[in-house]
Structure formats: C-alpha cells, structure tokens
Amino acid sequence: MPTYSGFTDPGSTTATALNTATYIGGSLTSTSNTFQDSLNSSNDSSDFYKFTLSSSSIVNINLDGLGVGSDANLVLRNSAGSPITNSSTTGNVSETIRTSLTNSPSNTYYVQVYLTSGSANTTYTLSLSAETIQESGKLDNSTAQANTNNDIGTFSNSGSYTATDYVGSIGAVIDGDDYYKFTLSTSGTVNINLTNLTGNADLQLRNSSNSILQPTSTQLGTAPESINSVLAPGTYYIRVFPYSAVTNYNLGFSFTADAPDIAGNTLANAKSVTLNSTPITYSDLVNQGDTKDYYRFDLTSDALVDIKFTSLSADANLQLLNQGNSTLQSSNQTGLALDSIRLSLNSGTYYVLVTPGTTTTANYTLSLSATPIGTDQAPNGYTSAKNIGTLNNSQSFNEFVGNIDTDDYYKFNLNNNSQFNLNLSGLIDNADVQLLNSSGNAIQTFNQTGNTPEVVSTVLNAGTYYIRIFTLGLANTFYNLNVNASPQTKLLQVNPTGSSDPDNFTALSSTLYFTANDGTTGVQLWKSDGNTNTRLSNITGFNPSNLIVFNNKLYFTATDSTFGTELWESNGTSVTRVSDINSGSGNSNPGNLTIAGNQLFFSAIDSSNTRKLWVYNGTNLRLVDVNPGFATTNAVNSPSTFTTAFNNRLFFTAKNNSQVWSTDGTVAGTQVISTGGVTNSYARSLTVVGSNLYFTASDGTTGQEVWKYQSGTTASLVKDITPGNNGFAPTYLTAVGNTLYFVTDSDNDFNLELWKSDGTANGTLPINPNGDSPNIGFGSIYLTALGNTLYFVANDPDTGVELWSTDGTNANTVVVKDIWTGSNNSIPTSLVNFNGTLAFAASDGTNRELWFSDGTAINTRKVSNIYSTGIANPSKLTAVGTRLFFSATDGANGTELYVI
C-alpha cells in the first residue's frame, strides 16, 4: 500500500487542494494509497485532497491514526465543492466513507479532512481507493425485466451459470435489485452463491409468483451468501440486492436434477428423513398421476413433531401415520390454506402422507421438525408431584405438557401467609393452570385461550399446595413456569396508644436494632427478631441515635442527665456508656461514626468546646488531634463533616469541609489530600468505587466537579463537565460495580443529567441526551445499586415520577414500570437491595405501599396492603437476613414497625 508524507500541506479549499494524481500517477485505482499529514486548530484545521476516477467506481475513503483528545471528520465533495456525503463519528475513532461515484460529467472529486470545534491537534492517515463498478448494463431490476433481459436458461438434468455484476443503494450509481430468471423442467437441487463481495449484499430465491422462498441468505458484511434449495419444476427468480451498501459480485448458479418424485409412493419405499429441532424442508408435487407422497422418520426418544406446508400451489392434505399405517392425526384445510400437524410422539417409526386435495397439481414445500421432550420432571399426579420445597424466592421450570404427558404437578410449602404469584409463559399452544390445596382439591383454575400466558396472583395461608399444568384435546406445548411467594406484612407494635416513630434501623446479625417511643419511657433503644420487640434501655431523655455495628456490638450516641450526650454501646442485652469526652454533664455530641479497618472513628466536642477527631478500638479511646480547628462549625451542633472508609483508612473533610484528609488513627499517619493545590476545595460526597475514592470538589477554576483518588497525597480531576467555575456540585455519587454514577448539570440549564464514569475523562459520559428523560428538571434521584444495574427515580412527561433502571447504555435506560399509570407520579422512595430484589415504597393511585421488583415490569409488584385506602408510607426499609423491616402506618395505629 503506497504511503506518501512530507508533501506540501494540502490547502484548505478546493482551489488549493492537494492533487493526488501527482503522487499516484492518475486516477484512483483498487490499490489503496495513503497520505499522512496533520491538522492543528490554530492555522491548519482543514485539508483538501483532489482525486479523479477513470470510470464509475466504488470509492473507499478511510481516516485513522488520530491522536488522543482529537476529533476529525471527513467530507466527500463534488467538482463544484458541494458535499456529497460525510463521516462524523465523535472522538478519535476512524472515519470511513464508502459510496459509488460516476466519472461524468466531471470526474473530479474532493476529500476534506477537518478538525471539529474544541479538538486537540492531531496527525492523521488518509487512505483512498476506487473499485471499478462491474455493472452489466442489463435492465434486470424486476422479474418482468428478467423475463426479457436476464433469463439464464432452462435446466432439465444439470447445468451451471456465472455472472459478474453490481448492486448498490448508496451514492450516484443506484442499482437496488438484480433479478435472474431460470426455469426447471424437472425437480432438483439448486445451489446459488454470491462471492467476491466488497459490501453487504443479500440473496433471495423467488417463485414464479414472485413470493420469497426459504431460506434466504442474509449474511453480515462481506461474507459470501449462499442458498441451497430443493425445487419442483417451474420458473424461479434469483434476486441480488444491497443492504445499505455498494458492491460488485460474482454470482454462481448450479442445478442438479433429482430422480423423479422425491417421496415414495408407498409405505415400503417412503423417503426416509432424519428430524431434529431445526426444520428441514422438501419440495415435491402431488397430482392425479402421483397421488401419494410418503416420508418416513424414526424417533429414538419422545419428541414434539411439527409437520406443515410452508407453500402450496394448489390444495393438498396431510396425514400422520403410525408404523401400522393407522392415522394418528390429519389436516385437511381447503384451498391454499397451509395444513399443519403438531403432536407429541413416543419413540418409534412414523410416516407423513401428502395427498392432493383437488385434481390440480399441487406443488408443495413440506417442513418437518422434531423437538426432543426431555425426561418428565413433573409427575402426572399430585401424590407424586415434584416437590419444590418451601417457596421463598422466585423459582423457574422448563417443561412440556401434551397428548403424551397431559398433566404436570408441582408441590410447594408456605411458612407464612404469603402473596403467591405464578406466571406460565413461553407457550406455543394452549395450557391451563390449577391451584390445589393439600388434599388435591382445586382452589382456583386459570384458563386463558390459545397461547396467552397464564398469570396467577393470590394470597395463600401457610400450608402445602399443588400446581397442576395441563392441556386439553391435542394441545401440545413447552412452557416456562415461574413461581414466587412474598410473605405478608406483620405489625410489630411498640406504642399501643400512638405512634412509636421507629428510626435508626440497623442490622446486627439476624436482629434489627432501632429507636422508638413506647409512649411511656420516651425514645429508647430496641431490638426485634421479626416476632418480638425488646426494649434495651430505660434512661430518661436517652434519645439514642447514630447506630453503627462495630466488633459485633452496637455503638450509638445517647444522653443521660449525668454525662450529657456521649458514645454508648450495647451487647444486645444492656447498654453501657463508653466515653465522657466533654467531662461531666457537658455534651460531646459524637458524630460521623465511621469504621475504618478495625477502628471506630467519630468526631466529638471536648471541654474546650472544639470538635475533634477520636478513635476507638473496642478497648481504648484516644484523640487524633489533626488540627485544633479541624471542624470549626458551631460546636454545639452536629458536624457536617463527610467521612468514609477507604483502604482501611478514614477519609474525611476538615476545616469547614475545605479539604480532604486521610488518617490511620494516628497523628503521624494523618495527611491532607491535595485537590488541585487549593486549600478551600469544599469537598463532599466521598464515595468508594472499586479501587478508587471519588468526591466532589472545586479547584477554583473548573468549579465543583468529580475528583478521583487512589493513593498518595494527590487527587485528580476526572472531567470538567460543567463550563466555568460553577458552584453546583454533582450529587448522588453511587457505585455500581466498578462504575461511578452521579447527577449533575453540565450546561447550567437546570435540567440535571445522569452520568457514568470509569474514572477517565473519555469514559465519563451522560446517560441519554440532555433534555431527554430522565434528564429533565430535577433529574435522577435515589440512585441505588443492585448487581450490575442502577435503579433510580426520575420524571418523564408521559409516565410521571417513576422507577427507572440502567445498565449504563442509553438503549437500556428505561422506566421499569409505570406504577401509577399515565403522567401521575408514583414517587418511589426508600430503594434498597433485599437479597437480590429491589424493595421500595410507591403509590399506584390506590394507596402507598411496599413494592418488590426484579427489574422487569411484569415482576414489579405491590407486596403489602397495610393501609388499603390511604398512605401507609413505608420508609426506612432495612434488610436483616431474610426479613425486611420498615416503618409504616395503617391509619389506625400510627407509625409503627413492620416486617415482611
């Protein structure tokens, strides 16, 4: 491939364009010629290249070798300099133009390479080539034209044909279809091949009525196309057509005649065929001189057999016979209606019989398949039903019911009164569902018609149940069965006369710790195992808060009249004060309780009325005196300091949240993390994602943006998203795997956008365009990770404020379900991962209750009915083992503790 460089810089207009003929010796050829040059935004942002064609051609233009941070595009122009087409992919990826051009009236063309606005300077490599279009010039764009201009002949025994031609749907030379006519005087096998493609072209075989015969060939790209088909005598057409492409091609055709009559005329000489799950087809004919066509197949195991005509020229009928020549099933549709037989069969030998329906010769294409039916996993009676055990989470089964296996039974148990859900889908024929009690008696029957899925949603008491899947008549179908049960909500009342207002939910092992007011002792520390609530404290004015688990104990802040507000602990039975930092009855007001490594960090106010950093290892409490003014907020208030654990160290903001600090619990091991070298970065939202710590901060130039820290004492700016020294900081920093998601306003238009980042500038991208949902108004809120999926709440004009999900791609950023249909707002809140299921609160127009979702609309369902006509307002959702605790109200008992 010739390469040219070091030439005089191409001009920036057609008049000053570099003439490629000077280097390659004339017009473009099929040999690719490469020109290497550079662009810069200050004085050379556009280069023009001139080329000519010696004939109508397929032109290939490729631009690559672009530098990091650059973005250059291509424009193809005619002799007048007017654009013909362009390639403008964002970033430094390659640009490509492939189109067809003529060499008249002027065979002069121009290629423009230019930098986009804001692009970095770059070198580039431009490659040019032209492939002469091998257009035959025949009028062959329809079957009618092929009859006159492109008849490749009549074939009786065997023969072949080759041709070279062109099809294209792009550019100046348009030839959307090439048709070739051929006639078979006997039945046989046709092989058609399309090779030497330089663009995507596809291949069809059509009958004399111009109907498409299967199979068609639609390989991707320049892969060769081929059709192999058994055909009856008659006239046919080959269609070659481009798929948004231009290409020359070589067509190869060959015909091999079959012996007369493919199928045998008696059982003894029936054509033997081998069936599997992929349909095979045979083309033959029946008439008054050939009234019976027999096909034989053998099954080595049970199978669902599907036999059908896919095309008919006249009426013909089907029969399925057993080895003794007895009819198992027949199909006798009239006219051109396509007969079909679907039946489940045991292993054995069987025959298909094709007969004419009238005196007219019937050319037919017969499709046969046999899909193996696996070993029956679900027995046919409830006494021997498949036991799927205690039903908690979702379970799925793939099975079959039909004429050889009419019933499938499943047994399950419920430990609690539960919401039971069943979905029977994947049906190709009718199947129904019955729900039976422990005695095998039907409770409910669900019998949608046809292959409509059966859906069951009902409340069941604790006990044993059976599911029956069954068919009637000759219905045969595979199916997908999905069942799940959600325990009903249970009230765990603390205050019998009012609202206990449970709060500060914290899981320790299989126990929930929380604070609540029983109406007598005030706000105290409580625990619950899901059945019984136990009060752990009875101290006047105790008011515990800031609960956290450390070393298998519960730590929290609380107040007594002697020592003020200090750090406390509980072993699950009693409570004990840990500290008296502000001696006597003074309040140290511990805050920011954070575990890093094997230490508990918190901030507290000492007797000097200064908030400082403290650390506790389970035995000893000590001061980490980073700076006397580490937090200079009003000492009597809780600090707004941001803290998190990363690499077994505590990261926190100090000095009025102006800087990020890191400590191992010692003064010597405490350091400042530089954010652009400024002392007032106003860092916040410290978030760990994989091996990176992200936070928002300002370096005084780029404004509030996302920063990344990995090690050492310096953080780096991820990307300057919002222009200028903006004051709005990105929010809702959330880790999903190794991806950071956040919400920001990139252009100060007050439409907040959802973004994702892999920690690099190029990998920091918006999800959906600005102004498109969910990037409208307040944007995305309540970001919550579950596996590799981000769930969040956002507004859309059509669906209102609803639950959304994304995998990081625009295509898969969708509303999970329009819970309160239309433009009404369901306003999901309290999103939490409950053992792989998303739990949240939402309103559906009837009430506001607890919902579960697996990310699909069909499995996004309401699982509570605490306040049937009002707002139960579930909140503080907290997973504790296999239980989900939350607060809610039933309209009668105030706000209380619930569990499901």
Side-chain angles (χ1 to χ4, degrees), residues 9 18 45 109 181 188 291 452 487 489 729 751 804 839 891:
D9 188 76
L18 183 135
S45 62
Y109 297 90
K181 173 186 176 182
T291 58
T452 303
T489 56
N751 283 320
W804 288 63

Side-chain angles (χ1 to χ4, degrees), residues 267 270 295-297 319-323 349-353:
L267 285 178
Y295 298 84
R296 167 183 168 166
F297 62 91
Q319 290 184 58
L320 177 63
L321 313 174
N322 63 15
Q323 193 168 10
T349 298
Y350 299 90
Y351 297 88
V352 177
L353 173 60

Side-chain angles (χ1 to χ4, degrees), residues 800-863:
V801 180
E802 294 290 348
L803 179 67
W804 288 63
S805 70
T806 184
D807 63 0
T809 65
N810 289 1
N812 291 328
T813 301
V814 295
V815 176
V816 175
K817 183 173 185 172
D818 188 3
I819 293 173
W820 191 346
T821 56
S823 59
N824 301 293
N825 303 316
S826 74
I827 315 178
T829 56
S830 297
L831 280 63
V832 68
N833 181 353
F834 178 41
N835 297 326
T837 295
L838 184 74
F840 58 96
S843 302
D844 62 1
T846 301
N847 53 12
R848 185 169 183 82
E849 294 288 342
L850 182 66
W851 288 67
F852 285 175
S853 177
D854 67 355
T856 65
I858 193 170
N859 286 328
T860 299
R861 62 197 189 279
K862 184 163 58 178
V863 296

